[in-house]
Amino acid sequence: MGKLHDVLAEQIPAMRKDIKGFIKENGSTVIGEVTIAHAYGGMRGLKAMVCDTSEVPPDKGLIIRGIPLKELTGKIPEEIFWLLCTGRLPSSEELKDLQNELKARAKRIPDYVFKVIDTMPSDSHPMAMLDTGVLVLEHESRYRKRYAEGMTKDEYWEPTLEDSLNILAWIPVIAAYVYRKAFNKGDRIPADPNLDWGGNYAHMLGLKDPDGEFKDLMRLYLTLHCDHEGGNVSAHTCHCVGSALSDAFYAVSAGLNGLAGPLHGLANQECLKWILSTMEKFGGVPTEKQLETYAQETLNAGKVVPGYGHAVLRITDPRFDAFHAFGKKVCPDDPVYQTVSRVFKVVPDVLRKIQKIKDPWPNVDAHSGALLYHFGLKEFSYYTVLFSVSRTMGMCSQLIVSRGWGEAIERPKSMPTTWFKTQAAR
Ligand code: NMX
Ligand code: MLT
């Protein structure tokens, strides 16, 4: 399992001791209060989960292991995965070792996964194909086999790392296969041994990329979507399933099913649809006035403006800013890029007028699609698959860490509405 295993093997026993001691000494410290709004409102803002891989302060956005995202946009995804797992960036030797590990594993992807995807209806959603691919590979889980053999609790993180490395090595291969199959792009393209993880995913998708800019976009894309603390739907689902000691294949596949929802990862497909529909309606890049009217019509129809708002953030998402800067460099004259930029000027003011909306600013999904579209990746229903490949890094690193310190099975207490009403009447 290479150098990443060795670093974690050194870190994890100390982390476990530290956290167990901390809980023992401070377990009864009160850290907040729970209201009826929390119980009925998706537990928004309730600080009741632990996630050490990243945090999302509402006024700053994503911080990975103490490093703000804007300082990491020049890194490649493998460096980010190492950072998520260990708390520091890898040396060049450690990075090479992780890359070799992933490349060697990618070659060993079992053939049956392609056959299973082949049997699905050709108009299945690409997310359903991807999730099925990850789930069916559960057959390879090392964790499940070691659990059956009776491994000790302190060992749980090791086969979780092993399963995670396989999932990370295999998921771009499955994702590229899904793209080529679902959209009739021809045969599977073999990996290029000289490319990194993100570059190889771009290569296996098979889009024209004469200047390598699409590969750069994919490296950025995979870095930006890697993790977003523990409470978002996909991370939380993965964490909850993993806490039952289901292996990483079960847990990641479950998390990806959550990412497939339109209020979560699927918003990127909805968002580009919305942008293109404005352009179609107004015959090109709409004016600010036209966009204002269109946004208002969307709201009047009882729909959300996709790509705007966030459950945690109260600023423009730094991931949006990073994509915007990339677009400014590579395609400032692209009409879709220009429309996204103009929407950014108009929509926050429209949303600000609606009192119930807590965050009128764009999130990551408001931008990603425009850049994919520029490079010829025009099949919107595929966009959440790209998000998924990246988010697998966050879900896997969170699983490794929580298995490392021995987190308990998740089991909050639910109560019927009659009980809440009794509390309110006291
Ligand atoms: N357009 C219209 N209405 C909105 C929007 C929006 N962009 N954002 C929030 N609202 C509504 C929201 O539906 C809710 O209405 P109601 O009480 O009638 O159910 C009300 O405003 C209060 O919502 P908030 O407390 O501001 O946001 P919440 O935490 O509930 O939801 C999102 C967060 C992200 C689900 C919400 O802002 C949204 O639906 N945005 C559009 C979809 C989107 O872009 N999702 C992507 C999220 C990021 N990701 O990468 O996963
Ligand atoms: C994410 O990246 O998971 C989204 O921004 C949603 C969230 O954090 O709630």
Side-chain angles (χ1 to χ4, degrees), residues 151-169:
M151 73 175 151
T152 65
K153 271 189 173 178
D154 290 355
E155 294 172 305
Y156 287 171
W157 71 269
E158 255 184 328
T160 303
L161 172 65
E162 168 87 39
D163 286 355
S164 295
L165 289 171
N166 279 334
I167 293 173
L168 284 170

PDB file of all heavy atoms in Angstrom, residues 151-169:
ATOM      1  N   MET A 151     -10.265  -9.461  12.167  1.00  0.00           N
ATOM      2  CA  MET A 151      -9.256  -8.424  12.474  1.00  0.00           C
ATOM      3  C   MET A 151      -9.708  -7.614  13.695  1.00  0.00           C
ATOM      4  O   MET A 151     -10.910  -7.533  13.994  1.00  0.00           O
ATOM      5  CB  MET A 151      -9.032  -7.497  11.265  1.00  0.00           C
ATOM      6  CG  MET A 151     -10.151  -6.541  10.985  1.00  0.00           C
ATOM      7  SD  MET A 151      -9.738  -5.414   9.655  1.00  0.00           S
ATOM      8  CE  MET A 151     -11.384  -5.102   9.014  1.00  0.00           C
ATOM      9  N   THR A 152      -8.733  -6.988  14.365  1.00  0.00           N
ATOM     10  CA  THR A 152      -9.075  -6.197  15.561  1.00  0.00           C
ATOM     11  C   THR A 152      -9.519  -4.796  15.134  1.00  0.00           C
ATOM     12  O   THR A 152      -9.207  -4.348  14.034  1.00  0.00           O
ATOM     13  CB  THR A 152      -7.854  -6.048  16.492  1.00  0.00           C
ATOM     14  OG1 THR A 152      -6.874  -5.278  15.800  1.00  0.00           O
ATOM     15  CG2 THR A 152      -7.273  -7.403  16.877  1.00  0.00           C
ATOM     16  N   LYS A 153     -10.177  -4.092  16.071  1.00  0.00           N
ATOM     17  CA  LYS A 153     -10.661  -2.730  15.786  1.00  0.00           C
ATOM     18  C   LYS A 153      -9.541  -1.803  15.332  1.00  0.00           C
ATOM     19  O   LYS A 153      -9.731  -0.953  14.470  1.00  0.00           O
ATOM     20  CB  LYS A 153     -11.286  -2.132  17.051  1.00  0.00           C
ATOM     21  CG  LYS A 153     -12.745  -2.423  17.197  1.00  0.00           C
ATOM     22  CD  LYS A 153     -13.289  -1.609  18.360  1.00  0.00           C
ATOM     23  CE  LYS A 153     -14.801  -1.776  18.403  1.00  0.00           C
ATOM     24  NZ  LYS A 153     -15.425  -1.078  19.489  1.00  0.00           N
ATOM     25  N   ASP A 154      -8.374  -1.964  15.968  1.00  0.00           N
ATOM     26  CA  ASP A 154      -7.258  -1.071  15.648  1.00  0.00           C
ATOM     27  C   ASP A 154      -6.760  -1.262  14.217  1.00  0.00           C
ATOM     28  O   ASP A 154      -6.021  -0.420  13.695  1.00  0.00           O
ATOM     29  CB  ASP A 154      -6.086  -1.307  16.618  1.00  0.00           C
ATOM     30  CG  ASP A 154      -6.430  -0.823  18.017  1.00  0.00           C
ATOM     31  OD1 ASP A 154      -7.525  -0.241  18.186  1.00  0.00           O
ATOM     32  OD2 ASP A 154      -5.615  -1.033  18.935  1.00  0.00           O
ATOM     33  N   GLU A 155      -7.145  -2.362  13.611  1.00  0.00           N
ATOM     34  CA  GLU A 155      -6.679  -2.626  12.241  1.00  0.00           C
ATOM     35  C   GLU A 155      -7.664  -2.146  11.171  1.00  0.00           C
ATOM     36  O   GLU A 155      -7.353  -2.179   9.991  1.00  0.00           O
ATOM     37  CB  GLU A 155      -6.464  -4.151  12.051  1.00  0.00           C
ATOM     38  CG  GLU A 155      -5.344  -4.726  12.879  1.00  0.00           C
ATOM     39  CD  GLU A 155      -5.312  -6.262  12.803  1.00  0.00           C
ATOM     40  OE1 GLU A 155      -6.350  -6.899  13.095  1.00  0.00           O
ATOM     41  OE2 GLU A 155      -4.260  -6.796  12.446  1.00  0.00           O
ATOM     42  N   TYR A 156      -8.862  -1.712  11.592  1.00  0.00           N
ATOM     43  CA  TYR A 156      -9.909  -1.400  10.597  1.00  0.00           C
ATOM     44  C   TYR A 156      -9.451  -0.429   9.509  1.00  0.00           C
ATOM     45  O   TYR A 156      -9.871  -0.505   8.359  1.00  0.00           O
ATOM     46  CB  TYR A 156     -11.143  -0.769  11.283  1.00  0.00           C
ATOM     47  CG  TYR A 156     -12.009  -1.710  12.090  1.00  0.00           C
ATOM     48  CD1 TYR A 156     -13.033  -1.189  12.892  1.00  0.00           C
ATOM     49  CD2 TYR A 156     -11.813  -3.080  12.081  1.00  0.00           C
ATOM     50  CE1 TYR A 156     -13.840  -2.027  13.649  1.00  0.00           C
ATOM     51  CE2 TYR A 156     -12.618  -3.917  12.858  1.00  0.00           C
ATOM     52  CZ  TYR A 156     -13.624  -3.387  13.636  1.00  0.00           C
ATOM     53  OH  TYR A 156     -14.427  -4.198  14.384  1.00  0.00           O
ATOM     54  N   TRP A 157      -8.622   0.561   9.889  1.00  0.00           N
ATOM     55  CA  TRP A 157      -8.250   1.596   8.911  1.00  0.00           C
ATOM     56  C   TRP A 157      -7.438   1.020   7.755  1.00  0.00           C
ATOM     57  O   TRP A 157      -7.503   1.543   6.639  1.00  0.00           O
ATOM     58  CB  TRP A 157      -7.473   2.730   9.597  1.00  0.00           C
ATOM     59  CG  TRP A 157      -6.082   2.328  10.023  1.00  0.00           C
ATOM     60  CD1 TRP A 157      -5.718   1.806  11.223  1.00  0.00           C
ATOM     61  CD2 TRP A 157      -4.900   2.392   9.237  1.00  0.00           C
ATOM     62  NE1 TRP A 157      -4.373   1.537  11.257  1.00  0.00           N
ATOM     63  CE2 TRP A 157      -3.842   1.897  10.039  1.00  0.00           C
ATOM     64  CE3 TRP A 157      -4.597   2.815   7.945  1.00  0.00           C
ATOM     65  CZ2 TRP A 157      -2.519   1.815   9.584  1.00  0.00           C
ATOM     66  CZ3 TRP A 157      -3.284   2.729   7.487  1.00  0.00           C
ATOM     67  CH2 TRP A 157      -2.264   2.233   8.309  1.00  0.00           C
ATOM     68  N   GLU A 158      -6.689  -0.083   8.038  1.00  0.00           N
ATOM     69  CA  GLU A 158      -5.746  -0.583   7.017  1.00  0.00           C
ATOM     70  C   GLU A 158      -6.456  -1.117   5.778  1.00  0.00           C
ATOM     71  O   GLU A 158      -6.182  -0.670   4.665  1.00  0.00           O
ATOM     72  CB  GLU A 158      -4.873  -1.666   7.632  1.00  0.00           C
ATOM     73  CG  GLU A 158      -3.491  -1.166   7.920  1.00  0.00           C
ATOM     74  CD  GLU A 158      -2.570  -2.239   8.440  1.00  0.00           C
ATOM     75  OE1 GLU A 158      -3.050  -3.166   9.143  1.00  0.00           O
ATOM     76  OE2 GLU A 158      -1.372  -2.145   8.146  1.00  0.00           O
ATOM     77  N   PRO A 159      -7.394  -2.084   5.938  1.00  0.00           N
ATOM     78  CA  PRO A 159      -8.119  -2.509   4.732  1.00  0.00           C
ATOM     79  C   PRO A 159      -9.055  -1.430   4.190  1.00  0.00           C
ATOM     80  O   PRO A 159      -9.440  -1.482   3.020  1.00  0.00           O
ATOM     81  CB  PRO A 159      -8.892  -3.748   5.186  1.00  0.00           C
ATOM     82  CG  PRO A 159      -8.949  -3.668   6.663  1.00  0.00           C
ATOM     83  CD  PRO A 159      -7.741  -2.902   7.110  1.00  0.00           C
ATOM     84  N   THR A 160      -9.411  -0.426   5.038  1.00  0.00           N
ATOM     85  CA  THR A 160     -10.201   0.704   4.504  1.00  0.00           C
ATOM     86  C   THR A 160      -9.323   1.491   3.535  1.00  0.00           C
ATOM     87  O   THR A 160      -9.780   1.923   2.469  1.00  0.00           O
ATOM     88  CB  THR A 160     -10.704   1.605   5.654  1.00  0.00           C
ATOM     89  OG1 THR A 160     -11.466   0.797   6.552  1.00  0.00           O
ATOM     90  CG2 THR A 160     -11.575   2.742   5.150  1.00  0.00           C
ATOM     91  N   LEU A 161      -8.056   1.664   3.892  1.00  0.00           N
ATOM     92  CA  LEU A 161      -7.123   2.338   2.971  1.00  0.00           C
ATOM     93  C   LEU A 161      -6.952   1.511   1.700  1.00  0.00           C
ATOM     94  O   LEU A 161      -6.987   2.035   0.586  1.00  0.00           O
ATOM     95  CB  LEU A 161      -5.763   2.551   3.664  1.00  0.00           C
ATOM     96  CG  LEU A 161      -4.641   3.070   2.767  1.00  0.00           C
ATOM     97  CD1 LEU A 161      -4.941   4.481   2.240  1.00  0.00           C
ATOM     98  CD2 LEU A 161      -3.298   3.095   3.521  1.00  0.00           C
ATOM     99  N   GLU A 162      -6.787   0.221   1.884  1.00  0.00           N
ATOM    100  CA  GLU A 162      -6.604  -0.680   0.722  1.00  0.00           C
ATOM    101  C   GLU A 162      -7.808  -0.566  -0.228  1.00  0.00           C
ATOM    102  O   GLU A 162      -7.652  -0.366  -1.440  1.00  0.00           O
ATOM    103  CB  GLU A 162      -6.458  -2.114   1.263  1.00  0.00           C
ATOM    104  CG  GLU A 162      -6.535  -3.220   0.244  1.00  0.00           C
ATOM    105  CD  GLU A 162      -5.195  -3.536  -0.385  1.00  0.00           C
ATOM    106  OE1 GLU A 162      -4.199  -3.524   0.338  1.00  0.00           O
ATOM    107  OE2 GLU A 162      -5.163  -3.774  -1.605  1.00  0.00           O
ATOM    108  N   ASP A 163      -9.024  -0.662   0.329  1.00  0.00           N
ATOM    109  CA  ASP A 163     -10.235  -0.542  -0.506  1.00  0.00           C
ATOM    110  C   ASP A 163     -10.312   0.848  -1.148  1.00  0.00           C
ATOM    111  O   ASP A 163     -10.684   0.987  -2.312  1.00  0.00           O
ATOM    112  CB  ASP A 163     -11.510  -0.778   0.327  1.00  0.00           C
ATOM    113  CG  ASP A 163     -11.717  -2.258   0.675  1.00  0.00           C
ATOM    114  OD1 ASP A 163     -10.936  -3.101   0.200  1.00  0.00           O
ATOM    115  OD2 ASP A 163     -12.670  -2.567   1.423  1.00  0.00           O
ATOM    116  N   SER A 164      -9.928   1.862  -0.378  1.00  0.00           N
ATOM    117  CA  SER A 164     -10.015   3.241  -0.897  1.00  0.00           C
ATOM    118  C   SER A 164      -9.061   3.436  -2.071  1.00  0.00           C
ATOM    119  O   SER A 164      -9.405   4.081  -3.071  1.00  0.00           O
ATOM    120  CB  SER A 164      -9.656   4.247   0.199  1.00  0.00           C
ATOM    121  OG  SER A 164     -10.609   4.186   1.218  1.00  0.00           O
ATOM    122  N   LEU A 165      -7.854   2.897  -1.948  1.00  0.00           N
ATOM    123  CA  LEU A 165      -6.897   3.046  -3.060  1.00  0.00           C
ATOM    124  C   LEU A 165      -7.419   2.341  -4.317  1.00  0.00           C
ATOM    125  O   LEU A 165      -7.264   2.847  -5.432  1.00  0.00           O
ATOM    126  CB  LEU A 165      -5.520   2.494  -2.661  1.00  0.00           C
ATOM    127  CG  LEU A 165      -4.772   3.349  -1.615  1.00  0.00           C
ATOM    128  CD1 LEU A 165      -3.519   2.617  -1.119  1.00  0.00           C
ATOM    129  CD2 LEU A 165      -4.387   4.719  -2.185  1.00  0.00           C
ATOM    130  N   ASN A 166      -8.063   1.198  -4.118  1.00  0.00           N
ATOM    131  CA  ASN A 166      -8.646   0.527  -5.294  1.00  0.00           C
ATOM    132  C   ASN A 166      -9.781   1.357  -5.888  1.00  0.00           C
ATOM    133  O   ASN A 166      -9.858   1.536  -7.100  1.00  0.00           O
ATOM    134  CB  ASN A 166      -9.155  -0.873  -4.925  1.00  0.00           C
ATOM    135  CG  ASN A 166      -8.011  -1.881  -4.899  1.00  0.00           C
ATOM    136  OD1 ASN A 166      -6.999  -1.691  -5.576  1.00  0.00           O
ATOM    137  ND2 ASN A 166      -8.153  -2.936  -4.119  1.00  0.00           N
ATOM    138  N   ILE A 167     -10.636   1.889  -5.020  1.00  0.00           N
ATOM    139  CA  ILE A 167     -11.762   2.693  -5.541  1.00  0.00           C
ATOM    140  C   ILE A 167     -11.209   3.902  -6.307  1.00  0.00           C
ATOM    141  O   ILE A 167     -11.651   4.215  -7.415  1.00  0.00           O
ATOM    142  CB  ILE A 167     -12.693   3.143  -4.394  1.00  0.00           C
ATOM    143  CG1 ILE A 167     -13.396   1.933  -3.785  1.00  0.00           C
ATOM    144  CG2 ILE A 167     -13.739   4.146  -4.903  1.00  0.00           C
ATOM    145  CD1 ILE A 167     -14.216   2.234  -2.527  1.00  0.00           C
ATOM    146  N   LEU A 168     -10.211   4.571  -5.720  1.00  0.00           N
ATOM    147  CA  LEU A 168      -9.658   5.766  -6.391  1.00  0.00           C
ATOM    148  C   LEU A 168      -8.971   5.411  -7.704  1.00  0.00           C
ATOM    149  O   LEU A 168      -9.028   6.167  -8.670  1.00  0.00           O
ATOM    150  CB  LEU A 168      -8.677   6.478  -5.463  1.00  0.00           C
ATOM    151  CG  LEU A 168      -9.343   7.285  -4.361  1.00  0.00           C
ATOM    152  CD1 LEU A 168      -8.314   7.763  -3.345  1.00  0.00           C
ATOM    153  CD2 LEU A 168     -10.090   8.489  -4.941  1.00  0.00           C
ATOM    154  N   ALA A 169      -8.323   4.252  -7.734  1.00  0.00           N
ATOM    155  CA  ALA A 169      -7.656   3.834  -8.983  1.00  0.00           C
ATOM    156  C   ALA A 169      -8.693   3.471 -10.043  1.00  0.00           C
ATOM    157  O   ALA A 169      -8.487   3.733 -11.235  1.00  0.00           O
ATOM    158  CB  ALA A 169      -6.750   2.630  -8.702  1.00  0.00           C
TER     159      ALA A 169
END
